[in-house]
Amino acid sequence: MTRQLTPIAKEFEGADFGDQRLAARLVSMGEALGARPDQVLPDAFLTEAGLEAGYRFLNNERVTAAAILVPHITATLERSRRADRLLVLHDTSAFHFNGRG
């Protein structure tokens, strides 16, 4: 039986870290974080083991921001190719915090 992935997790399918276990961990992290986007990592991963696995993943030398983003960029490009119209929105807001409450 094939497991159904959440839309967020699908964004990370096909990541290439040179190790399938790392790719599977990214997908599972995407599922956990997608299900609880308002939570901090310890709460999003639900268990100590899940949190430890997440931290090990993020600290692995094979894991880079670029490697994480490649499948998401690929999926975004594919969606863009199928669209009749694309809107590219840009937020020009700037925030300056001077340390006062």
Side-chain angles (χ1 to χ4, degrees):
M1 180 175 175
T2 303
R3 187 170 134 208
Q4 289 289 85
L5 296 177
T6 64
I8 296 292
K10 286 180 183 180
E11 290 294 300
F12 300 115
E13 277 187 306
D16 183 11
F17 301 105
D19 185 332
Q20 279 302 110
R21 295 169 298 178
L22 291 173
R25 173 60 55 195
L26 177 61
V27 170
S28 69
M29 288 174 62
E31 287 180 317
L33 294 170
R36 293 168 286 289
D38 59 331
Q39 300 296 308
V40 294
L41 291 180
D43 295 335
F45 290 130
L46 299 177
T47 66
E48 289 290 322
L51 179 62
E52 181 64 28
Y55 286 144
R56 284 185 183 166
F57 172 84
L58 294 171
N59 286 314
N60 190 303
E61 65 185 24
R62 293 183 191 173
V63 175
T64 63
I68 291 171
L69 286 173
V70 164
H72 169 59
I73 292 168
T74 302
T76 301
L77 289 171
E78 185 55 38
R79 281 191 301 276
S80 299
R81 286 185 187 106
R82 293 190 310 260
D84 293 329
R85 179 183 296 189
L86 294 175
L87 298 177
V88 179
L89 308 176
H90 179 71
D91 183 355
T92 60
S93 299
F95 297 92
H96 300 280
F97 300 98
N98 60 10
R100 291 185 223 172

